[in-house]
């Protein structure tokens, strides 16, 4: 089991961090949002996760990698509160921590429009009126390239558009932490890169912490930030991408 | 307001199914109200095949019949008492007297006579029947000659005591059995319709809880949904689309009871189904 190495790696790689819009020392100053302490989870006799220790800080962008069956989805579900770990503790670093998730199966309502799906995220604690929500929604729709499809039904969209809608829905309520389970699996590299850039923008400007699970090696290679690698339920690497 | 708007948005997705789910229980309850008629018919045919213990008696006048009926009802072991309908008195008494091979009754006296059929609630032995018979005889005597009709003394003519293993309460059990079967069938029909609506609601509520800072959305939506259901039901009653008797507990309480059972069972069932969706 390898402990979280974000602090150890930070000093050595601050120049790279600055390149991606993060000031030196920003990560160290960010408070801990969520801490997993010796978390394990098993499905019957199968151990999906074993003794995971992990800290997620404010404004942190974490890439989660690992082969199929390594425990990525389980870890994401535990972070998002979807699953309760069979062993270990989860400590919330702040009150009213709000976590949203981009599910692997997206969980969009197929027979209704994109707009109605996105309205699910009209959180009154964030938006004072429907108008305010719609303004943000339209702006985000244009950024994601979904604006023209607002009135189309989900079941008429291609996989890539569906994924964008799911990501938008997760971003709209202004979460503290966004957990995304392979959100670009239906996208080509260029589209995935664009989406990644948008999320990086939200991460840096809107201080949304993001945990992104991906198989996309090219994307991971371009990534600079914290990276976690899982193998057979064990956290085998944790630290800055360049360091790893 | 949010929850009403939420339900309206869900309604727009599958309006037909929502209407069926909201209106059908009330229509079903209206149908349930017709069941006593069916139950009575079946009960009569059942009674004809498997009669309860009973005895027929003929009272010399209406006053005596009413007096005895009142007194007999207070006795133990007695089930229901049937008084022969006025229109059928002549035929029934004639038949009874003919069965008893009594031909010497005067036709004017015959018109005054009233028949009673007394059903016993439980199995009654000959000895117990004799005690009842003696008691009724004494009661008849106790009415006194001063109030007796001018034509003659008051008297009772007893028919044969028919003994059966079956008690009268079987008829009541039958009522409940019929209600149970019909309720189960109707509930199944309603549940099948409800499941598709529920599926949409549960999914949407789950997403609301995931993407908005709201808690316990499910019970709140269910509460509003049931309230809406009752509101729509009362509107239907006001417009005389369904029976207004439903509002009064003096009518058979069973339809109301079964309606509440509808809601309760379904709420429980859906809560159970919703559990895996809950956040840890």
């Amino acid at each position: 089991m390898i402990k979280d190495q974000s602090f150890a790696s930070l000093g050595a790689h601050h120049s790279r961090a600055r390149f991606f819009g993060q000031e030196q020392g920003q990560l160290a100053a960010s408070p801990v949002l969520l801490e997993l302490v010796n978390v394990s989870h098993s499905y019957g006799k199968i151990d999906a996760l074993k003794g995971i220790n992990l800290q997620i800080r404010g404004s942190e962008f974490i890439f989660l990698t690992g082969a199929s069956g390594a425990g990525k989805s389980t870890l994401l579900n535990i972070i998002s509160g979807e699953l309760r770990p069979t062993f270990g503790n989860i400590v919330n670093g702040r009150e009213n921590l709000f976590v949203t998730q981009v599910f692997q199966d997206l969980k969009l309502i197929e027979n209704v429009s994109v707009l109605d799906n996105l309205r699910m995220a009209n959180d009154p604690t964030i938006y004072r009126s429907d108008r305010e929500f719609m303004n943000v929604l339209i702006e985000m729709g244009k950024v994601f390239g979904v604006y023209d499809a607002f009135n189309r039904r989900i079941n008429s969209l291609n996989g890539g558009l569906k994924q964008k809608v799911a990501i938008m829905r997760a971003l709209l309520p202004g979460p503290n932490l966004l957990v995304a389970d392979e959100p670009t699996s239906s996208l080509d590299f260029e589209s995935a890169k664009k989406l990644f850039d948008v999320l990086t923008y939200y991460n840096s400007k809107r201080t949304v912490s993001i945990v992104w699970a991906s198989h996309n090696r090219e994307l991971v290679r371009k990534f600079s930030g914290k990276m976690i690698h899982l193998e057979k339920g064990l956290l085998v690497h944790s630290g800055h991408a360049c360091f790893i | 307001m949010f929850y009403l708007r939420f339900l309206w948005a869900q309604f727009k997705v599958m309006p037909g199914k929502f209407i069926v789910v909201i209106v059908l229980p009330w229509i079903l309850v209206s149908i349930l109200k017709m069941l006593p008629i069916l139950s009575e018919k079946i009960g009569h045919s059942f009674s004809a095949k498997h009669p309860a213990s009973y005895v027929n008696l003929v009272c010399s006048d209406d006053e005596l019949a009413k007096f005895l009926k009142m007194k007999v009802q207070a006795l133990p072991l007695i089930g229901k008492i049937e008084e022969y309908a006025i229109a059928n008195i002549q035929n029934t008494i004639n038949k009874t007297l003919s069965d008893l091979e009594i031909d010497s009754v005067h036709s004017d006296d015959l018109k005054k006579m009233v028949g009673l059929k007394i059903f016993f609630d439980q199995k009654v032995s000959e000895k117990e029947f004799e005690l009842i018979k003696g008691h009724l005889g004494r009661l008849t005597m106790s009415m006194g000659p001063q109030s007796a009709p001018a034509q003659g003394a008051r008297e009772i003519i007893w028919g044969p005591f028919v003994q059966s293993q079956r008690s009268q309460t079987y008829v009541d059990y039958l009522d409940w059995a019929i209600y149970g079967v019909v309720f189960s069938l109707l509930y199944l029909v309603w549940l099948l319709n409800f499941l598709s609506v529920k599926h949409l609601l549960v999914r949407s509520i789950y997403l609301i809880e995931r993407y908005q800072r709201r808690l316990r959305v499910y019970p709140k939506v269910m509460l509003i949904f049931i309230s809406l259901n009752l509101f729509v039901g009362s509107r239907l009653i006001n417009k005389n689309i369904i029976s207004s008797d439903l509002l009064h507990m003096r009518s058979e309480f069973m339809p109301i009871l079964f309606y509440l059972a509808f809601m309760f069972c379904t709420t429980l069932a859906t809560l159970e189904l919703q559990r895996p969706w809950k956040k840890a």
Side-chain angles (χ1 to χ4, degrees), chain B residues 118-133:
Chain B
I118 301 170
F119 289 92
F120 297 99
D121 211 10
Q122 296 166 28
K123 193 186 175 192
V124 175
S125 65
E126 285 282 352
K127 194 179 174 183
E128 285 166 327
F129 173 65
E130 286 303 323
L131 281 171
I132 292 167
K133 194 175 171 181

Side-chain angles (χ1 to χ4, degrees), chain B residues 42-259:
Chain B
I42 295 173
H44 275 307
S45 68
F46 188 78
S47 299
K49 285 178 187 169
H50 309 279
S53 297
Y54 69 92
V55 64
N56 273 311
L57 62 94
V58 180
C59 301
S60 56
D61 61 85
D62 183 52
E63 197 183 346
L64 177 63
K66 283 192 166 49
F67 174 71
L68 289 181
K69 191 178 173 185
M70 187 181 72
K71 292 288 181 186
V72 168
Q73 269 170 340
L75 293 175
L77 306 175
I78 304 297
K80 65 176 179 180
I81 302 167
E82 284 178 3
E83 194 175 325
Y84 298 147
I86 300 297
N88 297 330
I89 282 175
Q90 192 83 45
N91 293 336
T92 310
I93 291 175
N94 278 337
K95 188 176 180 301
T96 309
L97 292 176
S98 154
D99 289 347
L100 295 169
E101 297 176 351
I102 299 170
D103 302 320
S104 59
V105 182
H106 193 272
S107 64
D108 286 343
D109 292 342
L110 201 61
K111 282 177 186 171
K112 291 175 192 167
M113 288 180 171
V114 175
L116 292 178
K117 187 169 188 176
I118 301 170
F119 289 92
F120 297 99
D121 211 10
Q122 296 166 28
K123 193 186 175 192
V124 175
S125 65
E126 285 282 352
K127 194 179 174 183
E128 285 166 327
F129 173 65
E130 286 303 323
L131 281 171
I132 292 167
K133 194 175 171 181
H135 179 62
L136 292 187
R138 283 191 297 280
L139 283 172
T140 309
M141 298 285 284
S142 73
M143 281 196 79
Q146 66 274 18
S147 61
Q151 288 87 344
R154 286 199 164 99
E155 60 176 338
I156 311 171
I157 303 167
W158 287 94
F161 170 53
V162 180
Q163 214 172 13
S164 166
Q165 295 295 318
R166 189 182 73 82
S167 72
Q168 179 59 27
T169 48
Y170 275 116
V171 177
D172 299 331
Y173 292 143
L174 188 70
D175 277 1
W176 282 97
I178 292 169
Y179 265 105
V181 169
V182 175
F183 168 72
S184 305
L185 289 173
L186 297 185
Y187 179 69
L188 192 67
V189 170
W190 187 61
L191 196 62
L192 286 174
N193 282 282
F194 184 79
L195 282 175
S196 53
V197 170
K198 183 229 68 177
H199 183 63
L200 175 73
L201 280 178
V202 169
R203 254 191 331 173
S204 304
I205 289 166
Y206 171 76
L207 294 174
I208 291 283
E209 285 182 346
R210 289 297 318 188
Y211 297 108
Q212 292 187 26
R213 290 163 181 83
R214 289 179 193 273
L215 296 170
R216 290 177 284 281
V217 176
Y218 184 78
K220 290 171 191 166
V221 168
M222 277 308 288
L223 194 69
I224 290 173
F225 187 68
I226 291 171
S227 306
L228 266 178
N229 199 327
L230 293 172
F231 173 75
V232 171
S234 62
R235 298 293 299 170
L236 292 174
I237 288 168
N238 282 345
K239 291 184 184 299
N240 286 328
I241 296 172
I242 55 177
S243 168
S244 60
D245 283 351
L246 293 174
L247 286 182
H248 303 294
M249 287 302 284
R250 64 182 163 77
S251 65
E252 294 81 10
F253 72 97
M254 280 194 262
I256 305 280
L257 183 76
F258 282 125
Y259 176 72

